[in-house]
Amino acid sequence: MARVVIFSGAGISAESGLSTFRDTGGLWEKYRIEEICQAGCLSWNRENTLAFYDARREQLASVTPNTAHYAIAKLQAKYPNDVAIITQNVDDLFERAGCKDILHLHGFLPRLRCEQCGATHLIGYTKQERTFTCKNCGGSFRPDIVFFGEAAPMYEHLYDAMQDCQFLVIIGSSGNVIDMDHFALHVKVSILNNLEPSDAINERVYTKVLHQKATEAIDEIVEDIERFMQG
Ligand code: APR
């Protein structure tokens, strides 16, 4: 298991042009969670929900990874067994930057999932074909996204991935959905990089706090990790 864990949220993709959720102008100011991204939306508000994710995929096609994604990819390529990447993001910007084995805790936007048997199907950045059904079981597909109130099966892997962590980096997450503070308390070094403080995060438990854009903070973060790796 990796000694360095990089945990990210929407803030790392903000400078690529993808909106965050809770900042001013964020997605949850424009859309109501309970209409678009809550368990049950696919039953009572199916077309609007699918259209929301069609629009997210279309937007994803028009953006590119930023220097923070690339710097993390370079670091991981240098220490392949010692750098794990965990993200709450459903975009594929880490993958496009060259990162490997990313743990997507909240799903993956370019992918659909069969509502009946769970089989997945990559559609890239295209619209979800409404009549398209699963070739295994005939079930209907949904975006492979974890909605509020639904089980998040990848969460159990978060604990596995944190098992040997000694150096934790949080980039661009308000901490409203996943609390990482308790992990920060148990590692040797922890860095928090968010543009602004968040009510959901206790900054005092972190070794270092950087209130900067991810693309501005990433060089210092990488230098600190390099120093740690060289012991
Ligand atoms: N660089 C670094 N941090 C940034 C930047 C930036 N350029 N821009 C914004 N941030 C920070 C904000 O200060 C904020 O703390 O990113 C954080 C974004 O917080 P949220 O919008 O709440 O995103 P996130 O924590 O990833 O949300 C978690 O909530 O709606 C759900 O499933 C969705 O995965 C998402 C989850």
mmCIF file of all heavy atoms in Angstrom, residues 10-20 25 27 30 55-56 58-66 69 91 93 215:
data_model
loop_
_atom_site.group_PDB
_atom_site.id
_atom_site.type_symbol
_atom_site.label_atom_id
_atom_site.label_comp_id
_atom_site.label_asym_id
_atom_site.label_seq_id
_atom_site.Cartn_x
_atom_site.Cartn_y
_atom_site.Cartn_z
ATOM 1 N N ALA A 10 -13.564 18.541 -6.031
ATOM 2 C CA ALA A 10 -13.863 19.352 -7.203
ATOM 3 C C ALA A 10 -12.869 20.491 -7.431
ATOM 4 O O ALA A 10 -12.636 20.904 -8.575
ATOM 5 C CB ALA A 10 -15.271 19.915 -7.071
ATOM 6 N N GLY A 11 -12.246 20.990 -6.347
ATOM 7 C CA GLY A 11 -11.331 22.130 -6.475
ATOM 8 C C GLY A 11 -10.160 21.868 -7.398
ATOM 9 O O GLY A 11 -9.661 22.789 -8.053
ATOM 10 N N ILE A 12 -9.717 20.610 -7.500
ATOM 11 C CA ILE A 12 -8.546 20.353 -8.351
ATOM 12 C C ILE A 12 -8.903 20.491 -9.834
ATOM 13 O O ILE A 12 -8.042 20.785 -10.673
ATOM 14 C CB ILE A 12 -7.889 18.979 -8.062
ATOM 15 C CG1 ILE A 12 -6.468 18.962 -8.652
ATOM 16 C CG2 ILE A 12 -8.720 17.820 -8.592
ATOM 17 C CD1 ILE A 12 -5.602 17.820 -8.197
ATOM 18 N N SER A 13 -10.161 20.302 -10.155
ATOM 19 C CA SER A 13 -10.562 20.411 -11.568
ATOM 20 C C SER A 13 -11.130 21.790 -11.910
ATOM 21 O O SER A 13 -11.446 22.057 -13.066
ATOM 22 C CB SER A 13 -11.589 19.322 -11.908
ATOM 23 O OG SER A 13 -11.019 18.038 -11.735
ATOM 24 N N ALA A 14 -11.240 22.655 -10.888
ATOM 25 C CA ALA A 14 -11.854 23.976 -11.110
ATOM 26 C C ALA A 14 -11.082 24.778 -12.159
ATOM 27 O O ALA A 14 -11.677 25.413 -13.042
ATOM 28 C CB ALA A 14 -11.922 24.743 -9.795
ATOM 29 N N GLU A 15 -9.760 24.709 -12.068
ATOM 30 C CA GLU A 15 -8.961 25.509 -13.017
ATOM 31 C C GLU A 15 -8.924 24.906 -14.417
ATOM 32 O O GLU A 15 -8.440 25.539 -15.353
ATOM 33 C CB GLU A 15 -7.548 25.695 -12.474
ATOM 34 C CG GLU A 15 -7.534 26.602 -11.262
ATOM 35 C CD GLU A 15 -6.221 26.522 -10.536
ATOM 36 O OE1 GLU A 15 -5.277 27.180 -10.968
ATOM 37 O OE2 GLU A 15 -6.143 25.769 -9.536
ATOM 38 N N SER A 16 -9.459 23.703 -14.556
ATOM 39 C CA SER A 16 -9.647 23.145 -15.897
ATOM 40 C C SER A 16 -10.948 23.656 -16.506
ATOM 41 O O SER A 16 -11.216 23.436 -17.680
ATOM 42 C CB SER A 16 -9.673 21.615 -15.841
ATOM 43 O OG SER A 16 -8.403 21.109 -15.509
ATOM 44 N N GLY A 17 -11.782 24.256 -15.656
ATOM 45 C CA GLY A 17 -13.047 24.816 -16.152
ATOM 46 C C GLY A 17 -14.284 24.051 -15.720
ATOM 47 O O GLY A 17 -15.383 24.321 -16.205
ATOM 48 N N LEU A 18 -14.122 23.093 -14.793
ATOM 49 C CA LEU A 18 -15.300 22.365 -14.282
ATOM 50 C C LEU A 18 -15.748 23.021 -12.977
ATOM 51 O O LEU A 18 -14.929 23.251 -12.086
ATOM 52 C CB LEU A 18 -14.961 20.890 -14.036
ATOM 53 C CG LEU A 18 -14.579 20.071 -15.272
ATOM 54 C CD1 LEU A 18 -14.226 18.636 -14.878
ATOM 55 C CD2 LEU A 18 -15.696 20.075 -16.312
ATOM 56 N N SER A 19 -17.035 23.288 -12.864
ATOM 57 C CA SER A 19 -17.542 23.965 -11.662
ATOM 58 C C SER A 19 -17.383 23.077 -10.439
ATOM 59 O O SER A 19 -17.547 21.859 -10.527
ATOM 60 C CB SER A 19 -19.033 24.248 -11.810
ATOM 61 O OG SER A 19 -19.265 25.081 -12.888
ATOM 62 N N THR A 20 -17.115 23.700 -9.294
ATOM 63 C CA THR A 20 -17.171 22.954 -8.038
ATOM 64 C C THR A 20 -18.651 22.869 -7.634
ATOM 65 O O THR A 20 -19.529 23.327 -8.374
ATOM 66 C CB THR A 20 -16.347 23.662 -6.936
ATOM 67 O OG1 THR A 20 -16.914 24.942 -6.719
ATOM 68 C CG2 THR A 20 -14.885 23.785 -7.318
ATOM 69 N N GLY A 25 -21.388 30.230 -7.109
ATOM 70 C CA GLY A 25 -21.497 29.887 -8.532
ATOM 71 C C GLY A 25 -21.358 28.395 -8.797
ATOM 72 O O GLY A 25 -21.355 27.950 -9.946
ATOM 73 N N LEU A 27 -22.184 24.191 -8.716
ATOM 74 C CA LEU A 27 -23.312 23.457 -9.318
ATOM 75 C C LEU A 27 -24.541 23.404 -8.424
ATOM 76 O O LEU A 27 -25.671 23.472 -8.907
ATOM 77 C CB LEU A 27 -22.872 22.026 -9.640
ATOM 78 C CG LEU A 27 -22.081 21.835 -10.935
ATOM 79 C CD1 LEU A 27 -21.560 20.403 -11.017
ATOM 80 C CD2 LEU A 27 -22.937 22.167 -12.148
ATOM 81 N N LYS A 30 -26.955 26.183 -8.795
ATOM 82 C CA LYS A 30 -27.750 26.229 -10.031
ATOM 83 C C LYS A 30 -28.782 25.103 -10.114
ATOM 84 O O LYS A 30 -29.788 25.225 -10.794
ATOM 85 C CB LYS A 30 -26.811 26.132 -11.247
ATOM 86 C CG LYS A 30 -25.830 27.288 -11.340
ATOM 87 C CD LYS A 30 -25.125 27.295 -12.687
ATOM 88 C CE LYS A 30 -23.895 28.180 -12.669
ATOM 89 N NZ LYS A 30 -22.631 27.463 -12.509
ATOM 90 N N ALA A 55 -25.160 16.785 -20.078
ATOM 91 C CA ALA A 55 -24.517 18.108 -20.156
ATOM 92 C C ALA A 55 -23.145 18.088 -19.471
ATOM 93 O O ALA A 55 -22.195 18.719 -19.947
ATOM 94 C CB ALA A 55 -25.417 19.162 -19.526
ATOM 95 N N ARG A 56 -23.035 17.351 -18.364
ATOM 96 C CA ARG A 56 -21.731 17.246 -17.657
ATOM 97 C C ARG A 56 -20.703 16.552 -18.562
ATOM 98 O O ARG A 56 -19.555 16.923 -18.616
ATOM 99 C CB ARG A 56 -21.871 16.446 -16.355
ATOM 100 C CG ARG A 56 -22.849 16.974 -15.326
ATOM 101 C CD ARG A 56 -22.220 18.042 -14.441
ATOM 102 N NE ARG A 56 -22.066 19.313 -15.097
ATOM 103 C CZ ARG A 56 -23.079 20.141 -15.403
ATOM 104 N NH1 ARG A 56 -24.310 19.844 -15.100
ATOM 105 N NH2 ARG A 56 -22.841 21.283 -16.015
ATOM 106 N N GLU A 58 -20.756 16.433 -21.879
ATOM 107 C CA GLU A 58 -20.436 17.336 -22.988
ATOM 108 C C GLU A 58 -19.404 18.374 -22.530
ATOM 109 O O GLU A 58 -18.438 18.671 -23.233
ATOM 110 C CB GLU A 58 -21.724 18.040 -23.449
ATOM 111 C CG GLU A 58 -21.576 18.741 -24.777
ATOM 112 C CD GLU A 58 -22.882 19.438 -25.187
ATOM 113 O OE1 GLU A 58 -23.944 19.177 -24.578
ATOM 114 O OE2 GLU A 58 -22.810 20.272 -26.103
ATOM 115 N N GLN A 59 -19.598 18.872 -21.309
ATOM 116 C CA GLN A 59 -18.661 19.863 -20.775
ATOM 117 C C GLN A 59 -17.281 19.229 -20.551
ATOM 118 O O GLN A 59 -16.252 19.840 -20.832
ATOM 119 C CB GLN A 59 -19.208 20.413 -19.448
ATOM 120 C CG GLN A 59 -18.383 21.561 -18.885
ATOM 121 C CD GLN A 59 -18.793 21.922 -17.466
ATOM 122 O OE1 GLN A 59 -19.341 21.102 -16.724
ATOM 123 N NE2 GLN A 59 -18.519 23.156 -17.085
ATOM 124 N N LEU A 60 -17.281 17.987 -20.067
ATOM 125 C CA LEU A 60 -16.013 17.303 -19.793
ATOM 126 C C LEU A 60 -15.177 17.159 -21.075
ATOM 127 O O LEU A 60 -13.949 17.252 -21.044
ATOM 128 C CB LEU A 60 -16.300 15.927 -19.162
ATOM 129 C CG LEU A 60 -15.115 15.085 -18.699
ATOM 130 C CD1 LEU A 60 -14.191 15.855 -17.761
ATOM 131 C CD2 LEU A 60 -15.607 13.803 -18.017
ATOM 132 N N ALA A 61 -15.877 16.957 -22.186
ATOM 133 C CA ALA A 61 -15.172 16.813 -23.473
ATOM 134 C C ALA A 61 -14.436 18.087 -23.848
ATOM 135 O O ALA A 61 -13.450 18.056 -24.594
ATOM 136 C CB ALA A 61 -16.174 16.452 -24.570
ATOM 137 N N SER A 62 -14.895 19.215 -23.322
ATOM 138 C CA SER A 62 -14.335 20.500 -23.769
ATOM 139 C C SER A 62 -13.215 21.007 -22.856
ATOM 140 O O SER A 62 -12.675 22.070 -23.084
ATOM 141 C CB SER A 62 -15.461 21.545 -23.831
ATOM 142 O OG SER A 62 -15.880 21.856 -22.509
ATOM 143 N N VAL A 63 -12.877 20.266 -21.799
ATOM 144 C CA VAL A 63 -11.829 20.740 -20.888
ATOM 145 C C VAL A 63 -10.631 19.790 -20.915
ATOM 146 O O VAL A 63 -10.714 18.680 -21.446
ATOM 147 C CB VAL A 63 -12.359 20.889 -19.434
ATOM 148 C CG1 VAL A 63 -13.539 21.840 -19.383
ATOM 149 C CG2 VAL A 63 -12.736 19.522 -18.852
ATOM 150 N N THR A 64 -9.536 20.245 -20.335
ATOM 151 C CA THR A 64 -8.316 19.429 -20.319
ATOM 152 C C THR A 64 -7.715 19.434 -18.904
ATOM 153 O O THR A 64 -8.003 20.333 -18.115
ATOM 154 C CB THR A 64 -7.256 19.988 -21.299
ATOM 155 O OG1 THR A 64 -7.092 21.383 -21.028
ATOM 156 C CG2 THR A 64 -7.671 19.792 -22.755
ATOM 157 N N PRO A 65 -6.864 18.448 -18.606
ATOM 158 C CA PRO A 65 -6.231 18.429 -17.284
ATOM 159 C C PRO A 65 -5.406 19.705 -17.090
ATOM 160 O O PRO A 65 -4.966 20.321 -18.063
ATOM 161 C CB PRO A 65 -5.311 17.207 -17.336
ATOM 162 C CG PRO A 65 -5.810 16.371 -18.458
ATOM 163 C CD PRO A 65 -6.446 17.301 -19.434
ATOM 164 N N ASN A 66 -5.189 20.092 -15.838
ATOM 165 C CA ASN A 66 -4.352 21.267 -15.565
ATOM 166 C C ASN A 66 -3.012 20.830 -14.969
ATOM 167 O O ASN A 66 -2.754 19.635 -14.793
ATOM 168 C CB ASN A 66 -5.109 22.276 -14.684
ATOM 169 C CG ASN A 66 -5.458 21.700 -13.325
ATOM 170 O OD1 ASN A 66 -4.601 21.163 -12.623
ATOM 171 N ND2 ASN A 66 -6.737 21.788 -12.941
ATOM 172 N N HIS A 69 -3.000 18.226 -12.115
ATOM 173 C CA HIS A 69 -3.189 16.822 -12.527
ATOM 174 C C HIS A 69 -1.870 16.265 -13.105
ATOM 175 O O HIS A 69 -1.468 15.145 -12.789
ATOM 176 C CB HIS A 69 -4.269 16.708 -13.615
ATOM 177 C CG HIS A 69 -5.648 17.101 -13.186
ATOM 178 N ND1 HIS A 69 -6.226 18.289 -13.551
ATOM 179 C CD2 HIS A 69 -6.588 16.460 -12.438
ATOM 180 C CE1 HIS A 69 -7.453 18.358 -13.057
ATOM 181 N NE2 HIS A 69 -7.702 17.271 -12.373
ATOM 182 N N ASP A 91 -14.907 13.165 -12.979
ATOM 183 C CA ASP A 91 -14.270 13.462 -14.272
ATOM 184 C C ASP A 91 -13.088 12.529 -14.506
ATOM 185 O O ASP A 91 -12.662 11.793 -13.614
ATOM 186 C CB ASP A 91 -13.857 14.949 -14.332
ATOM 187 C CG ASP A 91 -12.733 15.298 -13.352
ATOM 188 O OD1 ASP A 91 -11.668 14.657 -13.397
ATOM 189 O OD2 ASP A 91 -12.930 16.217 -12.524
ATOM 190 N N LEU A 93 -10.010 13.615 -15.618
ATOM 191 C CA LEU A 93 -8.840 14.467 -15.875
ATOM 192 C C LEU A 93 -7.548 13.841 -15.334
ATOM 193 O O LEU A 93 -6.484 14.019 -15.931
ATOM 194 C CB LEU A 93 -9.070 15.876 -15.326
ATOM 195 C CG LEU A 93 -10.224 16.621 -16.020
ATOM 196 C CD1 LEU A 93 -10.372 18.031 -15.456
ATOM 197 C CD2 LEU A 93 -10.038 16.677 -17.532
ATOM 198 N N THR A 215 -3.145 24.775 -8.784
ATOM 199 C CA THR A 215 -2.026 24.892 -9.736
ATOM 200 C C THR A 215 -0.890 25.741 -9.165
ATOM 201 O O THR A 215 0.242 25.632 -9.618
ATOM 202 C CB THR A 215 -2.482 25.499 -11.078
ATOM 203 O OG1 THR A 215 -3.067 26.781 -10.809
ATOM 204 C CG2 THR A 215 -3.486 24.610 -11.785
#
